[in-house]
Amino acid sequence: MKKIVSLIMLVVLTMALLVGCGGNQNAGGNATGEETYTWRFAHEEIDGDVQDLYVKKFKEVIEAKSDGRINIDIYPVGQIGDATQQAELLQNGGIEFAIVSPGNTGTLVPENQLFSLHFLFTDDMDKNAEIFKTSKALNELLSNKYLEKNIKVLAYWTEGAMQWTSNKPVNTPDQWRGMKMRTMPSPMIVAAYQAYGANPTPVPYMEVYSGLQLNMIEGQENPLFAIDQMKFYEVQKYLTLANSNLYVTTTAVNPDFFNGLPADIQDMVLETVEELRDYSFEIQEELNGGALDRIKAQSNIEIVELTDGEREVFRAASKSAYDKYVEMVGAGGKEILETLLEEVKEIESR
């Protein structure tokens, strides 16, 4: 029944978008006779968050680069459905572009759940940027898995390291036992926190604050900017600076739409994405960097920073989730994980 309702909602959203945009990505021609385009770009966050700033910059750059031939309409989360519905719209051609995060598409592309594994990447963002740009595991092996689901990944990037908020101390895995931890709807994120003994509870992003307030959930994970923007510190007692994993997301496009574009317009899209690689890291650093100070100034939440020893205990506990990942996704996912681990090790050693 739930799947039927979801399908009906998706059809309604798609029809509304097609009617609103004339059912055509092409708006016509300009004064010189060149073809013009109006594209829809959806993201998973609210105004002013990392994804929102990224998409606004994408709009600014490509509209300028195209001399007005391209116009981008931006849809924040909730405007045309939740993050999962936006990904489905992208697959089906209801929208052209979207920021698609693995945590919201883990059942769609199971292999992307490796991003939910803790302590997978380095603590050095410059090295992580190099990994996202050059990794064969991500840009070839994993991207092919997305393509099989009619999603073309243009870039992988991060919104920053994940931190924990909770109503009780969570310095050791023993303290997690039975805790109702909010997660995104990804089986692997669930497995990652089950490795610590928690009781993971998937909850939509826009319902997390009320869930914490009503004690339906006892904790959640997010980069600092999200904890600040969504004011989770108002309804939590502890903020633990865990740096347990990176919040990884993707810039994605519908492949049928992209392949139908003229070569020069395709190149314009790819150039814009490439130009935004550094910008994505700059905005996450800026927003996360100032967020902690704002949280301290606006609340009495207790700030806890894990020691190196405590992180090592969590690192050891997290390894059972790596085995669970391979069990979930099979040989293809195992190849992606092993290749990525080797790439991370090689770049980290430099």
Side-chain angles (χ1 to χ4, degrees), residues 6 9-10 13 80-90 95:
S6 178
M9 288 179 66
L10 181 61
L13 287 169
I80 54 169
D82 62 24
T84 303
Q85 290 165 335
Q86 289 178 170
E88 292 171 347
L89 284 168
L90 181 70
I95 55 178

Side-chain angles (χ1 to χ4, degrees), residues 166-195:
S166 59
N167 281 335
K168 64 179 185 179
V170 288
N171 300 57
T172 66
D174 288 344
Q175 294 170 312
W176 285 79
R177 301 206 178 280
M179 190 177 83
K180 292 178 289 184
M181 180 69 172
R182 180 266 171 177
T183 68
M184 298 167 78
S186 159
M188 197 63 246
I189 298 180
V190 169
Y193 283 101
Q194 284 176 336

Side-chain angles (χ1 to χ4, degrees), residues 27-28 30 32 34-39 62-63 65-71 262 264-265 268:
N30 59 16
T32 63
E34 294 177 306
E35 197 165 23
T36 59
Y37 305 86
T38 297
W39 300 336
I62 202 165
E63 288 183 356
K65 190 184 290 289
S66 68
D67 292 325
R69 292 179 63 194
I70 296 171
N71 177 68
D264 64 319
I265 301 297
M268 207 176 291

Side-chain angles (χ1 to χ4, degrees), residues 201-236:
T201 308
V203 174
Y205 186 55
M206 299 307 289
E207 297 175 19
V208 175
Y209 184 98
S210 60
L212 294 169
Q213 188 176 40
L214 298 172
N215 206 34
M216 296 171 61
I217 46 178
E218 299 171 280
Q220 63 82 46
E221 62 164 10
N222 258 300
L224 286 169
F225 81 87
I227 295 169
D228 176 33
Q229 289 273 18
M230 300 300 288
K231 301 186 186 300
F232 296 145
Y233 55 80
E234 293 181 344
V235 286
Q236 296 274 260

Side-chain angles (χ1 to χ4, degrees), residues 116-120 164 192-193 196 221 244-245 318-319 322:
S116 303
L117 296 171
H118 289 191
F119 307 103
L120 179 63
W164 302 325
Y193 283 101
Y196 301 153
E221 62 164 10
S244 55
N245 57 310
S318 73
K319 293 306 178 185
Y322 284 58

Side-chain angles (χ1 to χ4, degrees), residues 41-60:
F41 200 146
H43 66 77
E44 306 165 328
E45 295 173 355
I46 64 174
D47 184 67
D49 276 1
V50 171
Q51 290 185 17
D52 183 63
L53 295 180
Y54 178 98
V55 176
K56 286 175 178 174
K57 177 61 75 171
F58 183 96
K59 172 182 172 71
E60 175 190 325

